[in-house]
Amino acid sequence: MSNICVKFDQVKKSYDGKVFVVKALNLAIKQGEFVTMLGPSGSGKTTCLMLLAGFEDITSGEIYVNGKAIRHTTPHKRNIGMVFQNYALFPHMTIAENLAYPLKFRKMSKADKKARVNKYLDLVELQSFANRYPNQLSGGQKQRVALARALVYEPQLVLMDEPLGALDKNLREQMQYEIKKLHKMLGFTVIYVTHDQTEALTMSDRIAVFEQGVIQQISDPKTLYERPDNKFVAEFIGENNHLNGHIESHQDDGTVQVKVTENDSVSALAVNLTASDTKVYLSIRPEKVILNPDKHNIACDNIFTGIIKQIIYIGDHLRIYITFLNESAEFIIKQPNSFKFDDLEEGQAVTLGWLSKDCRALQIS
Ligand SMILES: Nc1ncnc2c1ncn2[C@@H]1O[C@H](COP(=O)(O)OP(=O)(O)OP(=O)(O)O)[C@@H](O)[C@H]1O
Ligand SMILES: [Mg+2]
């Protein structure tokens, strides 16, 4: 237990006493872990950070930091660093003064404070900007100051709520790298909130997918993408092809036979299905669908004939839209550009196939 940094235990939050925007949340985060909360707008991500930081009261349940209940600890005594989307720097203070501010209330000698500010200016590579004011910096530089200011008193836990949301794509990627570098070097625990699933997949040890105040799945990035537990996660993370169907039979190897039309059925992996599930949602990632598997000597459990509706050139790959099952289904396939695709054209009949292990039969709910 001792290496758990943060624990949400049956945490509920209602702002109006009627609607719960966080519903009996349980979540344990290890010391040094980088956990991202990902989910649609209004799903309760910021609320969770506010409860943890102490800016909102918990309606019921408890949050523990290092095993201690924090409900009655005032925010500034929780020793939590925070970074938000709008940098919230003090405009009338220089960058060095902004960094020194969180140290003001700490018992440290003047020389130690100065050394500490310099260390963090160095870490975010803004030493030469120490005497400038925030409005003399670019967006990315301001965000680096905000990051350094959150880290300067060396909190063991840092909360970041869409810290890179205001930056353009290149700068965002550069800052993602810098945050990861600091995290690796300094070893603090991070709870990070983002809308951007690529950011979540590339930065996190684990990702918690939120929907309406409930965690739908919490997993490492690879598991989350390749093995979604339910329909919501399959649709929310990455691109997803789907078919709806009825279960015909369960096999001993963990697969199910699913009827998708009067005459067609698909073999798929049963995921958390119960005996009472009859309708299922089949989820297959675009890169797991194989075009003309027979031509490439790839054995597939599921093979259908389809028509190419559209081919879109993306640069490094092609996106191919194919209809099948009498046009009742449409799949997207991604074909690497290195592939020989010259003989593909719109309107052409092709076969498409996939392995049952790559096709997840999920509860419809
Ligand atoms: N201070 C508040 N008073 C009343 N309702 C609030 C308050 N703050 C948030 N809410 C409501 O609680 C729900 C969750 O909001 P929250 O800000 O936690 O969502 P979020 O997941 O961070 O969304 P976003 O991705 O848009 O930032 C929303 O329905 C929101 O309207
Ligand atoms: Mg938010």
Side-chain angles (χ1 to χ4, degrees):
M1 277 311 281
S2 62
N3 71 342
I4 298 295
C5 178
V6 177
K7 188 175 164 202
F8 286 78
D9 184 17
Q10 291 291 321
V11 172
K12 294 187 188 176
K13 173 66 181 176
S14 175
Y15 288 102
D16 59 6
K18 289 182 213 137
V19 181
F20 282 89
V21 299
V22 177
K23 297 169 188 154
L25 187 80
N26 292 311
L27 173 62
I29 296 171
K30 288 192 280 290
Q31 212 76 253
E33 204 178 6
F34 194 120
V35 171
T36 295
M37 294 176 170
L38 181 70
S41 184
S43 57
K45 307 177 300 290
T46 297
T47 300
C48 286
L49 296 193
M50 291 296 139
L51 297 174
L52 177 54
F55 299 131
E56 287 291 347
D57 290 329
I58 303 167
T59 306
S60 71
E62 186 53 274
I63 302 177
Y64 300 88
V65 175
N66 293 328
K68 270 202 216 128
I70 54 159
R71 186 193 277 267
H72 300 297
T73 311
T74 53
H76 72 275
K77 292 209 170 128
R78 294 191 187 189
N79 204 23
I80 297 175
M82 309 238 278
V83 192
F84 296 105
Q85 180 169 358
N86 50 355
Y87 330 105
L89 301 176
F90 300 116
H92 58 287
M93 292 185 192
T94 65
I95 301 314
E97 286 164 354
N98 263 282
L99 284 202
Y101 187 81
L103 302 175
K104 206 168 158 175
F105 309 101
R106 318 250 147 182
K107 291 191 189 83
M108 286 173 85
S109 72
K110 229 175 167 175
D112 284 349
K113 281 184 190 174
K114 192 154 189 257
R116 184 72 74 80
V117 167
N118 280 330
K119 173 180 168 188
Y120 282 84
L121 278 173
D122 271 344
L123 279 174
V124 296
E125 293 171 26
L126 286 176
Q127 195 57 264
S128 56
F129 296 83
N131 296 318
R132 286 208 201 174
Y133 287 88
N135 67 3
Q136 297 171 313
L137 299 188
S138 71
Q141 290 163 342
K142 276 188 246 184
Q143 196 51 281
R144 266 146 67 194
V145 179
L147 183 63
R149 195 180 55 176
L151 299 176
V152 74
Y153 58 93
E154 305 195 331
Q156 46 143 356
L157 173 60
V158 181
L159 313 182
M160 304 193 195
D161 196 348
E162 309 217 25
L164 311 181
L167 307 180
D168 68 38
K169 186 171 175 287
N170 284 343
L171 206 48
R172 207 160 67 214
E173 282 172 4
Q174 189 192 331
M175 283 298 297
Q176 288 169 4
Y177 171 76
E178 296 194 10
I179 290 173
K180 279 304 282 180
K181 197 172 75 178
L182 288 171
H183 171 246
K184 215 168 186 175
M185 191 157 52
L186 304 171
F188 47 85
T189 307
V190 180
I191 306 182
Y192 194 94
V193 168
T194 182
H195 267 109
D196 180 340
Q197 50 162 297
T198 311
E199 188 163 294
L201 290 170
T202 55
M203 294 184 80
S204 320
D205 294 318
R206 284 191 300 159
I207 300 166
V209 180
F210 274 68
E211 187 205 15
Q212 296 188 9
V214 174
I215 294 182
Q216 289 290 344
Q217 184 169 354
I218 174 157
S219 303
D220 63 276
K222 187 167 190 271
T223 304
L224 196 68
Y225 181 81
E226 295 188 8
R227 293 192 276 132
D229 278 346
N230 56 47
K231 180 182 166 193
F232 180 81
V233 177
E235 289 184 343
F236 194 75
I237 309 287
E239 259 191 311
N240 179 56
N241 290 308
H242 84 274
L243 294 169
N244 290 318
H246 285 84
I247 295 181
E248 286 179 321
S249 61
H250 288 261
Q251 316 298 324
D252 289 340
D253 62 357
T255 61
V256 279
Q257 203 65 28
V258 178
K259 192 173 159 95
V260 290
T261 70
E262 206 48 51
N263 308 311
D264 302 285
S265 58
V266 167
S267 158
L269 190 69
V271 181
N272 304 328
L273 296 180
T274 64
S276 63
D277 288 312
T278 51
K279 285 184 180 173
V280 287
Y281 174 95
L282 301 175
S283 159
I284 310 141
R285 296 293 184 199
E287 63 277 15
K288 300 291 188 190
V289 183
I290 299 155
L291 198 57
N292 295 324
D294 34 350
K295 229 164 137 182
H296 302 289
N297 288 324
I298 302 172
C300 290
D301 313 302
N302 298 290
I303 292 187
F304 293 95
T305 305
I307 305 281
I308 296 181
K309 284 287 163 190
Q310 202 180 3
I311 301 176
I312 299 177
Y313 178 82
I314 307 285
D316 61 343
H317 71 279
L318 299 177
R319 289 166 62 83
I320 305 168
Y321 291 78
I322 297 177
T323 57
F324 62 109
L325 301 177
N326 272 331
E327 304 224 339
S328 67
E330 182 174 88
F331 271 19
I332 295 172
I333 298 185
K334 288 182 186 167
Q335 193 84 336
N337 199 353
S338 56
F339 228 75
K340 196 176 177 314
F341 61 81
D342 290 347
D343 52 350
L344 296 178
E345 52 187 59
E346 289 169 9
Q348 190 180 15
V350 286
T351 55
L352 63 163
W354 60 89
L355 304 176
S356 43
K357 75 172 179 59
D358 291 328
C359 177
R360 298 174 71 74
L362 304 165
Q363 282 176 347
I364 262 187
S365 64

